[in-house]
Amino acid sequence: MSPVQRQVLVLLAGGAKDGAIARRLNLSERSVRRQVEALAQRSGASNRFTLALAAIRIGWLPAGH
């Protein structure tokens, strides 16, 4: 996982929307959506919520994030 993907994942797991993540990381919303899609595909998640759960299960994020 790239450093940008990790930052996107942390913010996503915290409930941030794509626009907020983009502003926080100085990225375009399209870039954020691509990162989320890549992470979802890599984890087998079908949506943002299951992506956050999968990230904890896989060990990408610590529990309680």
Side-chain angles (χ1 to χ4, degrees):
M1 173 182 332
S2 75
V4 170
Q5 286 178 326
R6 175 132 176 89
Q7 291 176 313
V8 167
L9 186 56
V10 167
L11 293 170
L12 178 139
K17 305 278 188 213
D18 291 348
I21 295 170
R23 286 187 298 277
R24 178 89 183 262
L25 300 179
N26 198 29
L27 299 170
S28 70
E29 285 189 51
R30 184 175 181 197
S31 291
V32 171
R33 283 193 300 272
R34 282 193 303 232
Q35 296 298 334
V36 171
E37 288 170 8
L39 288 164
Q41 186 175 33
R42 187 172 167 194
S43 69
S46 59
N47 59 52
R48 297 167 75 88
F49 179 74
T50 58
L51 173 55
L53 293 177
I56 293 168
R57 186 186 76 244
I58 294 168
W60 292 349
L61 290 175
H65 219 75

